[in-house]
mmCIF file of all heavy atoms in Angstrom:
data_model
loop_
_atom_site.group_PDB
_atom_site.id
_atom_site.type_symbol
_atom_site.label_atom_id
_atom_site.label_comp_id
_atom_site.label_asym_id
_atom_site.label_seq_id
_atom_site.Cartn_x
_atom_site.Cartn_y
_atom_site.Cartn_z
ATOM 1 N N LEU A 620 24.753 -10.844 -4.021
ATOM 2 C CA LEU A 620 25.637 -11.284 -2.946
ATOM 3 C C LEU A 620 24.869 -11.444 -1.634
ATOM 4 O O LEU A 620 25.075 -12.429 -0.902
ATOM 5 C CB LEU A 620 26.784 -10.295 -2.774
ATOM 6 C CG LEU A 620 27.850 -10.302 -3.868
ATOM 7 C CD1 LEU A 620 28.792 -9.109 -3.708
ATOM 8 C CD2 LEU A 620 28.651 -11.611 -3.833
ATOM 9 N N LEU A 624 24.003 -15.017 0.785
ATOM 10 C CA LEU A 624 24.343 -15.161 2.208
ATOM 11 C C LEU A 624 23.155 -15.628 3.041
ATOM 12 O O LEU A 624 23.286 -15.793 4.257
ATOM 13 C CB LEU A 624 24.875 -13.832 2.746
ATOM 14 C CG LEU A 624 26.207 -13.376 2.139
ATOM 15 C CD1 LEU A 624 26.580 -11.989 2.657
ATOM 16 C CD2 LEU A 624 27.319 -14.372 2.431
ATOM 17 N N LYS A 627 16.551 -13.194 3.984
ATOM 18 C CA LYS A 627 15.206 -13.601 3.563
ATOM 19 C C LYS A 627 14.478 -12.535 2.751
ATOM 20 O O LYS A 627 13.476 -12.833 2.093
ATOM 21 C CB LYS A 627 14.379 -13.960 4.799
ATOM 22 C CG LYS A 627 14.954 -15.139 5.578
ATOM 23 C CD LYS A 627 14.151 -15.423 6.832
ATOM 24 C CE LYS A 627 14.747 -16.590 7.609
ATOM 25 N NZ LYS A 627 13.982 -16.860 8.860
ATOM 26 N N SER A 633 17.807 4.568 -0.705
ATOM 27 C CA SER A 633 17.784 5.760 -1.558
ATOM 28 C C SER A 633 19.165 6.385 -1.650
ATOM 29 O O SER A 633 19.592 6.837 -2.718
ATOM 30 C CB SER A 633 16.765 6.769 -1.032
ATOM 31 O OG SER A 633 17.076 7.190 0.283
ATOM 32 N N ASP A 651 14.109 7.441 -12.025
ATOM 33 C CA ASP A 651 15.357 6.767 -11.662
ATOM 34 C C ASP A 651 15.087 5.647 -10.665
ATOM 35 O O ASP A 651 15.592 4.528 -10.796
ATOM 36 C CB ASP A 651 16.349 7.747 -11.030
ATOM 37 C CG ASP A 651 16.882 8.786 -11.991
ATOM 38 O OD1 ASP A 651 16.970 8.497 -13.197
ATOM 39 O OD2 ASP A 651 17.212 9.896 -11.518
ATOM 40 N N LEU A 656 14.242 -0.043 -8.889
ATOM 41 C CA LEU A 656 13.435 -1.069 -8.225
ATOM 42 C C LEU A 656 13.171 -2.240 -9.160
ATOM 43 O O LEU A 656 13.260 -3.408 -8.752
ATOM 44 C CB LEU A 656 12.126 -0.466 -7.733
ATOM 45 C CG LEU A 656 12.238 0.583 -6.630
ATOM 46 C CD1 LEU A 656 10.871 1.194 -6.335
ATOM 47 C CD2 LEU A 656 12.850 -0.004 -5.362
ATOM 48 N N ASP A 664 15.608 -13.576 -6.222
ATOM 49 C CA ASP A 664 14.390 -14.321 -5.911
ATOM 50 C C ASP A 664 13.728 -13.827 -4.632
ATOM 51 O O ASP A 664 12.655 -14.319 -4.271
ATOM 52 C CB ASP A 664 14.708 -15.805 -5.737
ATOM 53 C CG ASP A 664 14.961 -16.504 -7.061
ATOM 54 O OD1 ASP A 664 14.479 -16.010 -8.090
ATOM 55 O OD2 ASP A 664 15.634 -17.554 -7.057
ATOM 56 N N SER A 685 2.412 7.891 -7.499
ATOM 57 C CA SER A 685 3.756 7.326 -7.381
ATOM 58 C C SER A 685 3.707 5.899 -6.843
ATOM 59 O O SER A 685 4.433 5.012 -7.321
ATOM 60 C CB SER A 685 4.615 8.196 -6.457
ATOM 61 O OG SER A 685 4.858 9.469 -7.015
ATOM 62 N N ALA A 689 5.112 2.354 -8.370
ATOM 63 C CA ALA A 689 6.054 1.502 -7.640
ATOM 64 C C ALA A 689 5.538 0.068 -7.547
ATOM 65 O O ALA A 689 6.303 -0.892 -7.717
ATOM 66 C CB ALA A 689 6.301 2.073 -6.250
ATOM 67 N N SER A 702 8.702 13.292 5.779
ATOM 68 C CA SER A 702 9.656 14.399 5.679
ATOM 69 C C SER A 702 9.445 15.169 4.377
ATOM 70 O O SER A 702 9.150 14.590 3.336
ATOM 71 C CB SER A 702 11.093 13.885 5.749
ATOM 72 O OG SER A 702 11.338 12.955 4.717
ATOM 73 N N PHE A 713 0.641 17.406 10.496
ATOM 74 C CA PHE A 713 0.105 16.124 10.945
ATOM 75 C C PHE A 713 -1.021 15.622 10.045
ATOM 76 O O PHE A 713 -0.985 14.483 9.557
ATOM 77 C CB PHE A 713 -0.378 16.250 12.388
ATOM 78 C CG PHE A 713 -0.968 14.999 12.952
ATOM 79 C CD1 PHE A 713 -0.153 14.026 13.526
ATOM 80 C CD2 PHE A 713 -2.339 14.780 12.919
ATOM 81 C CE1 PHE A 713 -0.690 12.860 14.046
ATOM 82 C CE2 PHE A 713 -2.888 13.614 13.433
ATOM 83 C CZ PHE A 713 -2.064 12.656 14.010
ATOM 84 N N ARG A 719 -1.578 11.499 3.416
ATOM 85 C CA ARG A 719 -0.630 10.936 2.458
ATOM 86 C C ARG A 719 -0.513 9.414 2.634
ATOM 87 O O ARG A 719 -0.466 8.665 1.649
ATOM 88 C CB ARG A 719 0.736 11.603 2.623
ATOM 89 C CG ARG A 719 0.814 13.022 2.055
ATOM 90 C CD ARG A 719 2.011 13.806 2.593
ATOM 91 N NE ARG A 719 3.213 12.993 2.656
ATOM 92 C CZ ARG A 719 4.023 12.756 1.624
ATOM 93 N NH1 ARG A 719 3.760 13.298 0.432
ATOM 94 N NH2 ARG A 719 5.097 12.014 1.773
ATOM 95 N N HIS A 732 -2.946 -5.827 -5.408
ATOM 96 C CA HIS A 732 -1.743 -6.586 -5.073
ATOM 97 C C HIS A 732 -1.414 -6.449 -3.589
ATOM 98 O O HIS A 732 -1.626 -5.398 -2.984
ATOM 99 C CB HIS A 732 -0.563 -6.103 -5.909
ATOM 100 C CG HIS A 732 -0.746 -6.312 -7.381
ATOM 101 N ND1 HIS A 732 -0.827 -7.562 -7.948
ATOM 102 C CD2 HIS A 732 -0.886 -5.421 -8.402
ATOM 103 C CE1 HIS A 732 -0.992 -7.441 -9.251
ATOM 104 N NE2 HIS A 732 -1.037 -6.148 -9.557
ATOM 105 N N THR A 753 6.320 11.612 17.602
ATOM 106 C CA THR A 753 6.606 10.466 16.737
ATOM 107 C C THR A 753 5.593 9.356 16.964
ATOM 108 O O THR A 753 5.054 8.782 16.009
ATOM 109 C CB THR A 753 8.027 9.944 17.000
ATOM 110 O OG1 THR A 753 8.981 10.959 16.625
ATOM 111 C CG2 THR A 753 8.309 8.680 16.208
ATOM 112 N N PHE A 760 -0.716 6.843 11.508
ATOM 113 C CA PHE A 760 -0.376 6.166 10.254
ATOM 114 C C PHE A 760 -0.883 4.728 10.269
ATOM 115 O O PHE A 760 -1.365 4.217 9.250
ATOM 116 C CB PHE A 760 1.137 6.172 10.027
ATOM 117 C CG PHE A 760 1.743 7.543 9.859
ATOM 118 C CD1 PHE A 760 3.116 7.729 10.010
ATOM 119 C CD2 PHE A 760 0.970 8.649 9.550
ATOM 120 C CE1 PHE A 760 3.701 8.979 9.845
ATOM 121 C CE2 PHE A 760 1.546 9.912 9.386
ATOM 122 C CZ PHE A 760 2.913 10.069 9.536
ATOM 123 N N ALA A 770 10.430 4.517 12.687
ATOM 124 C CA ALA A 770 10.899 5.835 13.110
ATOM 125 C C ALA A 770 12.422 5.820 13.119
ATOM 126 O O ALA A 770 13.040 5.573 14.159
ATOM 127 C CB ALA A 770 10.361 6.192 14.492
ATOM 128 N N LYS A 789 0.968 -4.440 15.293
ATOM 129 C CA LYS A 789 1.626 -4.246 13.997
ATOM 130 C C LYS A 789 3.145 -4.231 14.164
ATOM 131 O O LYS A 789 3.666 -3.787 15.195
ATOM 132 C CB LYS A 789 1.138 -2.959 13.330
ATOM 133 C CG LYS A 789 -0.309 -3.068 12.847
ATOM 134 C CD LYS A 789 -0.719 -1.894 11.997
ATOM 135 C CE LYS A 789 -2.129 -2.084 11.458
ATOM 136 N NZ LYS A 789 -2.584 -0.952 10.618
ATOM 137 N N ALA A 805 14.548 -8.696 21.563
ATOM 138 C CA ALA A 805 14.049 -8.675 22.932
ATOM 139 C C ALA A 805 13.150 -7.477 23.201
ATOM 140 O O ALA A 805 12.281 -7.523 24.083
ATOM 141 C CB ALA A 805 15.223 -8.679 23.913
ATOM 142 N N ILE A 832 46.818 4.852 -2.263
ATOM 143 C CA ILE A 832 47.537 4.896 -3.544
ATOM 144 C C ILE A 832 47.942 6.328 -3.876
ATOM 145 O O ILE A 832 49.090 6.607 -4.232
ATOM 146 C CB ILE A 832 46.660 4.324 -4.674
ATOM 147 C CG1 ILE A 832 46.350 2.851 -4.423
ATOM 148 C CG2 ILE A 832 47.353 4.494 -6.029
ATOM 149 C CD1 ILE A 832 45.290 2.284 -5.342
ATOM 150 N N ALA A 844 40.903 -7.016 -0.090
ATOM 151 C CA ALA A 844 39.888 -7.121 -1.136
ATOM 152 C C ALA A 844 39.261 -8.509 -1.162
ATOM 153 O O ALA A 844 39.899 -9.515 -0.829
ATOM 154 C CB ALA A 844 40.503 -6.812 -2.496
#
Side-chain angles (χ1 to χ4, degrees):
L620 288 170
L624 294 175
K627 298 177 181 179
S633 60
D651 292 331
L656 294 174
D664 285 336
S685 294
S702 58
F713 179 85
R719 285 163 42 82
H732 297 295
T753 296
F760 297 162
K789 289 189 176 180
I832 297 169

